[in-house]
Amino acid sequence: MCRLFGLSASPHRVRASFWLLDAPDSLVQQSRREPDGTGLGTYAADGTPVVEKQPLAAYGDKQFAEEAKHRYSTTFVAHIRFATTGELLPQNTHPFAQRGRLFAHNGVVEDLPRLEAELGSDLGLVHGDTDSERIFALITRHIDRNSGDVTAGIATAVRWLADNIPIYALNFLLTTPGELWALRYPDTHDLLVLERPAGGPSGGRHLQHASEAGRIRTRSEHLAEHPAVVVASEQMDEDPSWTPLRSGELLHVDRELGTRREVILARPPRYPICLDDLNERAAAAQTEK
């Protein structure tokens, strides 16, 4: 499945280093399916979104993913793509930017013609072929309809999706320069949250996180002195404070690092998709470790 990683240190602008793909150095790693894309989203000092992403279609692309990226931001989002819809192109690689916000998704929804019809003129926000970018456009549409209220826009968009579109999984991260939102729906894939005090459990350590499969690694010396909230599709270190989001639970991390968790969708999808219903490509993407 795709890997999600989000971090907020708001209101502090901190430096974090990312390695989005480890160079293969063992038979175990080489036996795994290769990811289809990597991306990192940050914000410049003036709040402008900065997206660095690359489909992994050639060796040179993998070099891009293996190189360390040292970036300053208040919020960060990283994504490793295992493609389910869309070719291996930059416009199909996460994260996506719309209206100054960044978005990355892990999951599958179907009946894209129905979703496109609902988007209407807002389909112009979409530049690629993925279900993910169309989900983001629907959320953006609903944020606009809710006068810029991101939480309300997410809630109404997700409820529409749950009632109208076949869903296998709809886990995502959405960020602005100072805020972060994360949703898990339904309980197909994990999405975990860590509210990390400055210095971590010992009070004096920098942040050092790595996914079990070696897909995403990140380090931040500044988080020895500043607190942060981390969201990831798997537990990234041994800190016992990681907690899973519940199905339908939306996390909001505000500009002062305050957190609110609320179940915005307690019912299952009207049209649930089972793993056996997915085509071979999509099923492989959702089960890849």
Side-chain angles (χ1 to χ4, degrees):
M1 66 179 182
C2 298
R3 299 294 191 277
L4 293 173
F5 180 90
L7 186 151
S8 177
S10 186
H12 301 288
R13 187 169 171 82
V14 301
R15 184 175 117 143
S17 301
F18 288 83
W19 296 261
L20 299 179
L21 187 66
D22 279 348
D25 58 5
S26 72
L27 292 176
V28 173
Q29 287 179 307
Q30 292 173 25
S31 71
R32 297 184 185 276
R33 175 184 167 183
E34 285 296 313
D36 297 311
T38 64
L40 177 65
T42 57
Y43 291 89
D46 65 358
T48 302
V50 179
V51 177
E52 303 168 85
K53 58 186 182 179
Q54 186 90 358
L56 301 184
Y59 177 75
D61 300 336
K62 292 180 177 61
Q63 285 184 306
F64 164 88
E66 292 165 4
E67 292 172 353
K69 292 171 176 57
H70 310 291
R71 301 293 179 263
Y72 283 85
S73 190
T74 46
T75 61
F76 303 78
V77 57
H79 185 272
I80 306 297
R81 183 186 185 215
F82 291 89
T84 58
T85 59
E87 298 305 313
L88 304 189
L89 299 169
Q91 60 264 37
N92 292 331
T93 307
H94 306 228
F96 304 101
Q98 294 177 13
R99 303 272 204 274
R101 307 179 192 101
L102 296 174
F103 178 90
H105 168 237
N106 172 20
V108 179
V109 305
E110 294 185 345
D111 197 358
L112 298 191
R114 174 75 178 92
L115 179 51
E116 290 173 354
E118 178 65 15
L119 284 172
S121 62
D122 287 319
L123 186 59
L125 293 165
V126 176
H127 303 289
D129 307 313
T130 65
D131 55 348
S132 303
E133 193 179 15
R134 285 157 175 78
I135 292 166
F136 188 21
L138 184 72
I139 292 170
T140 299
R141 178 181 180 87
H142 280 259
I143 292 170
D144 291 346
R145 287 182 169 183
N146 284 275
S147 304
D149 186 326
V150 176
T151 299
I154 289 173
T156 57
V158 168
R159 289 165 188 157
W160 185 91
L161 289 165
D163 286 340
N164 293 278
I165 298 294
I167 293 175
Y168 178 72
L170 188 60
N171 288 8
F172 63 75
L173 292 169
L174 189 154
T175 63
T176 67
E179 298 178 85
L180 179 150
W181 289 260
L183 177 81
R184 180 190 184 197
Y185 183 75
D187 58 359
T188 312
H189 296 315
D190 288 333
L191 196 58
L192 301 163
V193 180
L194 174 65
E195 296 187 48
R196 186 181 191 271
S202 69
R205 294 284 296 169
H206 60 268
L207 180 138
Q208 182 83 40
H209 278 176
S211 64
E212 182 179 356
R215 300 295 192 187
I216 296 177
R217 289 188 294 127
T218 185
R219 175 188 174 94
S220 176
E221 294 86 352
H222 287 172
L223 295 185
E225 301 175 357
H226 299 297
V229 176
V230 182
V231 181
S233 50
E234 59 187 302
Q235 186 166 333
M236 302 286 282
D237 66 7
E238 299 305 314
D239 193 316
S241 299
W242 288 91
T243 59
L245 289 176
R246 294 171 288 171
S247 176
E249 188 172 20
L250 178 67
L251 167 74
H252 175 211
V253 185
D254 68 23
R255 293 179 179 274
E256 299 298 325
L257 218 63
T259 60
R260 180 180 180 185
R261 294 168 64 153
E262 176 187 7
V263 175
I264 61 169
L265 192 56
R267 61 185 184 273
R270 179 173 294 178
Y271 307 106
I273 302 173
C274 298
L275 185 62
D276 291 343
D277 298 328
L278 298 175
N279 63 44
E280 183 177 354
R281 181 189 187 193
Q286 295 304 304
T287 56
E288 169 61 38
K289 299 297 186 183

